[in-house]
Amino acid sequence: MKVKAFAKINLCLDVLSRRADGYHDVEMVMTNVDIADVLEIRELEEKKISLICNNEDLATDETNLIYKAIVLLQKETKKDFGVEVRLEKNIPMEAGMAGGSADAAATLKAVNELFNLDITTERLLELGASLGADIPFCITGGTVLAKGIGEKLTPLKKLPKLKILIAKPAAGLSTKLVYENLDIETLNKTGFKHRDVREMVSIIESDDTDDIKTVKIAKALDNILEVPSLKLLPFIGRIKQIMYDNNCLGSLMSGSGTAIFGIFDNDSDMLRTKAVLEKDDRINYIETTTTV
C-alpha cells in the first residue's frame, strides 16, 4: 500500500496559556499544502517493525513517530504483526510543517486498513493525539480551526488554490526552545497586538470570491510564535522581507518554524522571489506549492 502524507502550514496561531502537563492551549488555523512524504507499507511475515528512509538524517528506530504509531496500534488491538515502511521524505524537517505528524497519521490510517483492524476514525484521532498534538489534524486534513493542544478540530470551508512559496533556513529551532522563549504575560502587559484567529476563520467562512478571499487571507496571517523565533533566528525576518520586497501578498512562519511561506497572486512574482532566495546558502529548502 502506497500513501501520501501531506504537509501543513499555519495561517494563524495564537498561544493562550501553558497547561499543567507541559503542553500549551492554542487556537490556530491549519491547512494542507501539496508537498507530501510518500509511505509504502507492506506486511512482513516476521513479526517486526522495519522502517527505511531515503533521508539519512531521520531516525528510523523506536523514537520515530511512524514506529510509535505502529506499536500503538499493536497495543490497541493486542495483535502482533510485522510491518515494513519505506519512507520517501519530501517534507523538510524542523520546519513547522508537521512532517513527522503527517507520517504518523498516514501510518495509523494505512495500517488500520491494511490489517483490517476496524479502528474507528474517532479512536484513531484519540490515539493520534496521544502521540502528538498535530496528528489529529493530519488524520483529517483539509482546513480546520484547532483548539486545545491542537486536537479539538472544527472543519472550515475549502480554501482557494493559494500560490505559495516556502523557504526554510538551514538553521533550525526546536519547538521546546521557541515555547520556552515565549513570554505571554509580558507581551500582554506591554500591549502587544496581534490579529485574532476569529478574523481568519471569518474570512475563510465568507462568501467572498476566491481572488478577494486570497488577498484577505494573506493580509490576516499571524503567528505569535514568530516573536520568540525572530529573536532566536533574525534571518527569518530577512526571508520575509525578501518576499515582501518581491510583491508577496503576505508572509508568515509556519508553526514553531523555521519554514517561512509567502502567498502570491501570480507565478512571475513567486518565481522571481524563489530565484532571489535560491542564491542564499543559508536556505536549504525552497519550493513552490499550492493548498490542497
Side-chain angles (χ1 to χ4, degrees), residues 134-151:
D134 284 338
I135 295 177
F137 163 73
C138 293
I139 290 173
T140 63
T143 303
V144 305
L145 168 65
K147 295 185 177 183
I149 62 170
E151 87 287 9

Side-chain angles (χ1 to χ4, degrees), residues 7-10 31-36 90-97 162-169 239 243 250-254 257-264 270 273-274 277-278 283-291:
K8 65 87 177 168
I9 56 173
N10 294 85
T31 193
N32 288 123
V33 293
D34 197 18
I35 296 171
N90 300 310
I91 303 172
M93 297 165 61
E94 292 186 338
M97 296 174 65
L162 304 179
K163 297 179 185 293
I164 294 172
L165 176 66
I166 296 176
K168 184 199 171 294
I239 294 174
M243 290 188 176
S251 179
L252 192 72
M253 183 186 78
S254 184
T258 54
I260 301 95
F261 67 90
I263 298 175
F264 291 80
M270 181 169 64
T273 310
K274 183 173 186 281
L277 292 171
E278 283 176 335
I283 297 172
N284 69 354
Y285 177 94
I286 183 164
E287 189 59 76
T288 58
T289 186
T290 63
T291 46

Side-chain angles (χ1 to χ4, degrees), residues 23 65-66 68-70 72 101 104 108 126-133 135:
Y23 281 99
L65 280 173
I66 291 173
K68 290 181 178 181
I70 296 170
L72 193 60
S101 295
L108 287 170
E126 292 173 354
L127 293 172
S130 72
L131 288 175
I135 295 177

